[in-house]
Amino acid sequence: MIVPMKKVSLVVLKSEQKEALEKLRAAGVLHPDHLEGRGEKFSELKSSLEKAQAAVLILSEIKSAAVKKSSMKHPELSAAEISALCAKVTEGAERKKILLDSIVSNTTELERFTEWGNVDPADFAYLEKKGIFLSLYEIPQDKWHLIGNDVKVIMVNRGKSQIHFLMLSDSPDTARPSGLPPEAYAVPLPRCSTLKLAEDIEAARREIQKIDYEKNQQVAYIPDIHTYCNSVLNDIEFETLYTGMDKEDGNNSTALCWITGFVPADFLDKIRMVAHEQHWAIAISDPSDNDEVPTKLKNNRLVSLIYPLTDFLGTVPGYHEYDISGWFLLFFTVFFGMIFGDGGYGLLITAGAVAGILLASTKRQPVAAGLKLVLLLGLATVVWGTVTCTWFGLSMEQIPQWLKDISIRPLSSAFSAEYVGKEGVTTVSQNLQMFCFSLALLQLTIAHLHGIRRYIHSLRCLGDFGSMFMLWGMFYVVLSMVVSSKIFSFDKIVYGIPIGTVSVFFVGAGFVLNFVFSNYDGSIGESILTSLKGIISVLLGVVNVFSDIVSYIRLWAVGLAGAAISGTVNTMAGPLLGKAALFLAFIILIVFGHGLNMILNVLSVIVHGVRLNTLEFSTHLGMSWSGFKYEPFSETVNK
């Protein structure tokens, strides 16, 4: 459930503002309205946090041997020393970038003079003072003989393809001699001596080694930097409130300042008690529809298992929306099992979760909710694999008979041959498709039942009834168009009821109800007018109902793809089994192939399993996941 919130405003003396904020933070129940921090101290804190976070990123890049040092004992540092350390880490990283750029630049420059030996611009400048003007040139070997006798040259080096030479001139401004072939090109002098370039490169490398050595030592302080970051976050939050609170002008003893925020209804007594003890003025009211109210969810232990997933996704229902945590967990568990689809994979997932839980228990640590969720998802996969008789992609001949016997015949791959060619009987694949569409019907019906309950005291609930009727009617249309037009024909009669006609009637009647009442707000005429204004989207809504139901077929399709991959892996590895020399290759192929398939399944769950809850289901609920978490101003920043 979404915990009811109360809007609370507190007024305190401006002279007691800091003390009041300390008391408010100790209470730890008020989620303040958004405020903008300002001032020099606030900017300094932001800068410190950015440097500390950058330092963690820089140090986290160091691998293996350096990481071992993080477990070694090291002297404790004060906050100021940690701040200085973070500044040193970031400065070292920037300096390393500059040094690497200089190495690349100097190396490129040095490579130009590989065939020249040591070249020093200072020597050329000295000779110029003596009236000797030399220029560096290169020319292809086959063009050397073209140089005229009037050109004074000194060969320096004969390379593989080029000849390097010096040209002597009478003055620095002498024009290019006519006897110098166009193939000869001037070589610009280096910016400093080649010896100096080589020394600079070596010095830069030594400095980089020193920086890397220091970083290896600094890795040990990553936990301390994390603690420092949390401390700075606390200070930033405090400074944000301190500088962002509204205040009366002036500094007289009766000047006031005030803050507004939200408190869970069951924490009101605590904030009232603090306000009474500190002699604050307090006003409490219900949030308005325009208020940006934080969302606090409260559910039992089972439903709360979905929180690690929703926290990872960053999905929070708006305060005025629905808490679908229970439905999310239920359907996501089913979707996960169907997408993984393999009981063998489910056993591996379950074993991994059990191992993690036992490890935490032996260390007397609380079991993470994420591990419990993984255990539930693993068991769901085992159940679905049992139902469909799918185990590590093995063929039916390789699966024990007792596993075939406990599978559900209409959905089991073990009995798929029984349905082939029988008139009026759906195949296993068609049954699986029907199961997917039935899940769609169930989940989306639940969505509209929520809407009906929400507007039960208004004619607007008839709009959700209409949407639900369209959903039911479109369900048969989907079965006819996707599963089998013969078995689910529109002229089909069941117990004297023309199913096709009834489904079309449901779609038509549902459309009328939805058109008339979906925008109802006290006036049927205005509701119809609003629907007319958006007639295109209203008409597309009928198509969307069809596509939303069909969208659930992804559960069957993705599971089928995963089964095909696991079967292919087994087929590739099969010839290697039984050959001692190739046994290691068999193990590698099996582990790699099935491991890759499981990774792909995880991605599929995130893309498809989550989507059906956060898009199709949520759209029919009218949810936009526009909320943000309740994070009270407290001693520990909730990040």
Side-chain angles (χ1 to χ4, degrees):
M1 61 171 285
I2 295 178
V3 176
M5 290 282 177
K6 293 293 184 178
K7 187 175 183 179
V8 175
S9 297
L10 298 170
V11 182
V12 302
L13 290 173
K14 186 177 177 182
S15 59
E16 299 175 356
Q17 183 185 2
K18 276 197 173 181
E19 181 184 352
L21 286 177
E22 292 287 357
K23 296 293 184 182
L24 193 60
R25 180 160 64 179
V29 295
L30 181 76
H31 180 111
D33 258 344
H34 178 71
L35 297 174
E36 292 289 343
R38 51 183 178 268
E40 183 178 347
K41 184 177 179 180
F42 178 80
S43 300
E44 290 175 355
L45 288 170
K46 292 282 285 186
S47 176
S48 297
L49 179 63
E50 290 169 359
K51 287 182 180 179
Q53 291 172 335
V56 170
L57 289 175
I58 293 166
L59 296 177
S60 297
E61 294 174 355
I62 301 175
K63 309 293 183 184
S64 59
V67 173
K68 293 179 182 178
K69 295 179 181 289
S70 63
S71 60
M72 296 172 61
K73 291 184 178 180
H74 56 274
E76 293 186 4
L77 302 181
S78 65
E81 289 172 327
I82 290 289
S83 178
L85 174 67
C86 293
K88 186 175 182 180
V89 171
T90 54
E91 289 168 4
E94 289 299 320
R95 178 60 181 163
K96 183 175 178 178
K97 288 180 182 178
I98 294 171
L99 292 170
L100 289 172
D101 289 341
S102 72
I103 288 174
V104 171
S105 175
N106 289 340
T107 301
T108 302
E109 183 77 349
L110 194 58
E111 286 174 351
R112 289 200 303 120
F113 296 93
T114 303
E115 303 293 337
W116 285 92
N118 181 36
V119 179
D120 190 345
D123 295 339
F124 286 80
Y126 174 79
L127 292 174
E128 283 184 7
K129 292 179 181 179
K130 301 296 184 180
I132 302 172
F133 303 97
L134 296 175
S135 302
L136 280 65
Y137 277 87
E138 293 181 1
I139 190 171
Q141 287 196 24
D142 58 351
K143 303 297 182 181
W144 172 257
H145 68 280
L146 298 178
I147 299 176
N149 294 328
D150 60 325
V151 182
K152 300 175 182 178
V153 297
I154 304 171
M155 182 185 293
V156 175
N157 180 36
R158 183 185 293 272
K160 293 180 180 179
S161 60
Q162 300 283 330
I163 292 178
H164 309 84
F165 65 94
L166 297 171
M167 186 184 76
L168 181 63
S169 305
D170 296 331
S171 69
D173 301 323
T174 302
R176 183 184 179 98
S178 58
L180 192 63
E183 289 82 1
Y185 59 91
V187 178
L189 289 171
R191 56 177 174 268
C192 62
S193 74
T194 52
L195 285 177
K196 180 68 165 57
L197 289 174
E199 290 172 358
D200 288 348
I201 291 172
E202 186 58 32
R205 286 173 176 162
R206 286 197 301 270
E207 189 172 351
I208 288 174
Q209 288 178 346
K210 181 181 177 183
I211 292 171
D212 288 341
Y213 175 79
E214 290 177 347
K215 281 169 63 177
N216 290 340
Q217 305 302 310
Q218 293 159 346
V219 168
Y221 291 96
I222 289 180
D224 303 77
I225 299 175
H226 278 300
T227 303
Y228 174 73
C229 284
N230 291 333
S231 174
V232 175
L233 281 169
N234 265 316
D235 293 342
I236 288 175
E237 186 177 30
F238 187 93
E239 195 65 20
T240 299
L241 297 186
Y242 181 73
T243 58
M245 286 175 64
D246 292 321
K247 307 176 184 67
E248 285 185 332
D249 294 333
N251 293 311
N252 58 73
S253 59
T254 59
L256 303 174
C257 60
W258 53 91
I259 188 172
T260 300
F262 300 92
V263 175
D266 48 354
F267 289 163
L268 276 180
D269 289 343
K270 187 171 184 179
I271 195 72
R272 279 197 184 103
M273 182 178 68
V274 175
H276 176 73
E277 290 174 352
Q278 302 300 319
H279 306 291
W280 300 338
I282 183 171
I284 301 173
S285 62
D286 291 321
S288 68
D289 292 338
N290 296 324
D291 285 328
E292 295 183 0
V293 188
T295 302
K296 181 183 180 184
L297 300 178
K298 184 178 181 181
N299 287 292
N300 59 45
R301 290 184 179 181
L302 176 61
V303 174
S304 298
L305 292 180
I306 198 64
Y307 291 167
L309 177 64
T310 53
D311 289 344
F312 170 75
L313 298 172
T315 52
V316 181
Y319 179 72
H320 298 290
E321 294 182 337
Y322 303 97
D323 175 19
I324 61 168
S325 300
W327 295 119
F328 199 129
L329 177 64
L330 172 63
F331 285 104
F332 179 76
T333 302
V334 175
F335 297 160
F336 186 98
M338 292 179 68
I339 288 173
F340 263 77
D342 192 299
Y345 290 175
L347 289 175
L348 293 178
I349 295 170
T350 302
V354 170
I357 291 171
L358 291 177
L359 182 62
S361 299
T362 56
K363 293 182 178 180
R364 297 184 179 180
Q365 296 175 346
V367 178
L371 275 177
K372 297 177 183 177
L373 176 62
V374 171
L375 176 61
L376 176 63
L377 298 177
L379 292 173
T381 307
V382 173
V383 170
W384 185 253
T386 303
V387 167
T388 59
C389 197
T390 308
W391 300 92
F392 290 114
L394 297 173
S395 64
M396 289 303 107
E397 294 77 15
Q398 297 169 312
I399 294 178
Q401 185 60 41
W402 67 272
L403 284 177
K404 300 177 186 177
D405 293 339
I406 63 174
S407 62
I408 306 300
R409 189 174 291 262
L411 302 176
S412 172
S413 301
F415 303 100
S416 57
E418 295 182 7
Y419 300 90
V420 177
K422 291 186 178 181
E423 187 68 26
V425 178
T426 52
T427 65
V428 169
S429 292
Q430 290 173 327
N431 290 335
L432 289 170
Q433 293 172 23
M434 290 166 58
F435 185 80
C436 293
F437 298 144
S438 299
L439 280 176
L441 181 65
L442 175 61
Q443 188 175 31
L444 301 183
T445 296
I446 290 170
H448 291 296
L449 288 175
H450 273 283
I452 291 169
R453 186 180 69 174
R454 182 173 188 174
Y455 299 110
I456 192 64
H457 299 297
S458 167
L459 289 178
R460 188 169 178 175
C461 72
L462 295 177
D464 271 291
F465 267 114
S467 297
M468 191 165 63
F469 290 162
M470 278 196 291
L471 179 70
W472 292 349
M474 199 61 74
F475 175 72
Y476 190 81
V477 175
V478 170
L479 294 181
S480 178
M481 296 183 68
V482 179
V483 179
S484 173
S485 59
K486 291 183 179 180
I487 298 176
F488 301 102
S489 63
F490 281 92
D491 57 359
K492 189 179 184 69
I493 305 295
V494 178
Y495 298 113
I497 300 173
I499 301 298
T501 303
V502 171
S503 66
V504 172
F505 171 78
F506 266 72
V507 173
F511 176 79
V512 172
L513 286 173
N514 184 266
F515 184 86
V516 174
F517 296 105
S518 62
N519 298 299
Y520 180 81
D521 193 19
S523 171
I524 294 178
E526 289 183 5
S527 177
I528 295 174
L529 183 61
T530 302
S531 295
L532 285 171
K533 290 178 181 178
I535 187 64
I536 301 299
S537 61
V538 172
L539 292 173
L540 287 176
V542 181
V543 180
N544 288 339
V545 173
F546 176 86
S547 64
D548 286 346
I549 297 174
V550 173
S551 183
Y552 282 69
I553 203 172
R554 68 183 66 234
L555 298 170
W556 167 75
V558 175
L560 188 65
I565 292 174
S566 59
T568 301
V569 171
N570 292 342
T571 301
M572 293 171 62
L576 304 178
L577 188 61
K579 299 177 181 179
L582 299 176
F583 181 73
L584 180 59
F586 169 79
I587 296 297
I588 292 174
L589 182 55
I590 286 291
V591 172
F592 175 78
H594 286 289
L596 179 61
N597 194 24
M598 292 185 72
I599 292 172
L600 292 175
N601 284 339
V602 171
L603 296 176
S604 297
V605 166
I606 294 173
V607 172
H608 302 292
V610 170
R611 172 205 162 103
L612 293 175
N613 281 295
T614 58
L615 185 60
E616 277 81 1
F617 183 45
S618 298
T619 298
H620 284 256
L621 272 170
M623 282 184 64
S624 59
W625 297 96
S626 57
F628 55 97
K629 290 180 69 173
Y630 164 73
E631 295 180 339
F633 177 48
S634 62
E635 299 290 349
T636 303
V637 179
N638 300 299
K639 296 295 179 187

